[in-house]
Short mmCIF file of all heavy atoms in Angstrom, two decimals:
data_model
loop_
_atom_site.label_atom_id
_atom_site.label_comp_id
_atom_site.label_asym_id
_atom_site.label_seq_id
_atom_site.Cartn_x
_atom_site.Cartn_y
_atom_site.Cartn_z
N ASN A 36 60.80 144.13 229.68
CA ASN A 36 60.76 145.55 229.34
C ASN A 36 60.99 145.69 227.84
O ASN A 36 62.14 145.71 227.38
CB ASN A 36 61.84 146.30 230.14
CG ASN A 36 61.97 147.75 229.70
OD1 ASN A 36 61.10 148.29 229.02
ND2 ASN A 36 63.07 148.37 230.07
N CYS A 39 63.56 148.20 226.07
CA CYS A 39 65.01 148.01 226.11
C CYS A 39 65.39 146.58 225.78
O CYS A 39 66.50 146.31 225.35
CB CYS A 39 65.53 148.39 227.50
SG CYS A 39 67.29 148.24 227.75
N GLY A 40 64.44 145.65 225.96
CA GLY A 40 64.74 144.25 225.72
C GLY A 40 65.17 143.49 226.97
O GLY A 40 65.60 142.35 226.89
N ASP A 41 65.06 144.14 228.13
CA ASP A 41 65.42 143.47 229.39
C ASP A 41 64.39 142.40 229.72
O ASP A 41 63.19 142.66 229.67
CB ASP A 41 65.43 144.47 230.56
CG ASP A 41 66.21 145.72 230.26
OD1 ASP A 41 67.32 145.60 229.72
OD2 ASP A 41 65.71 146.82 230.58
N GLY A 63 69.84 141.52 230.11
CA GLY A 63 69.38 142.88 229.89
C GLY A 63 70.53 143.86 230.02
O GLY A 63 71.69 143.46 230.14
N CYS A 64 70.18 145.13 230.03
CA CYS A 64 71.21 146.16 230.10
C CYS A 64 71.81 146.21 231.51
O CYS A 64 71.30 145.60 232.45
CB CYS A 64 70.61 147.51 229.74
SG CYS A 64 69.39 148.11 230.93
N ILE A 66 71.88 148.53 233.73
CA ILE A 66 71.03 149.12 234.76
C ILE A 66 70.01 148.11 235.27
O ILE A 66 69.81 147.96 236.48
CB ILE A 66 70.32 150.39 234.23
CG1 ILE A 66 71.36 151.50 234.04
CG2 ILE A 66 69.23 150.85 235.20
CD1 ILE A 66 70.80 152.77 233.43
N SER A 67 69.39 147.37 234.35
CA SER A 67 68.37 146.41 234.78
C SER A 67 68.99 145.30 235.63
O SER A 67 68.41 144.83 236.60
CB SER A 67 67.63 145.82 233.58
OG SER A 67 68.46 144.98 232.82
N ARG A 125 65.09 154.99 230.95
CA ARG A 125 65.79 154.11 231.89
C ARG A 125 64.98 153.75 233.13
O ARG A 125 65.36 152.86 233.89
CB ARG A 125 67.11 154.76 232.32
CG ARG A 125 68.16 154.83 231.22
CD ARG A 125 68.48 153.44 230.73
NE ARG A 125 69.59 153.44 229.79
CZ ARG A 125 69.98 152.36 229.12
NH1 ARG A 125 69.32 151.23 229.28
NH2 ARG A 125 70.98 152.41 228.29
N CYS A 128 63.97 150.24 233.09
CA CYS A 128 65.10 149.33 233.31
C CYS A 128 65.35 149.15 234.81
O CYS A 128 65.57 148.04 235.29
CB CYS A 128 66.37 149.89 232.66
SG CYS A 128 66.26 150.08 230.87
ZN1 ZN B 1 67.35 148.25 230.10
#
Side-chain angles (χ1 to χ4, degrees):
N36 172 16
C39 181
D41 311 315
C64 66
I66 290 176
S67 69
R125 290 301 187 187
C128 298

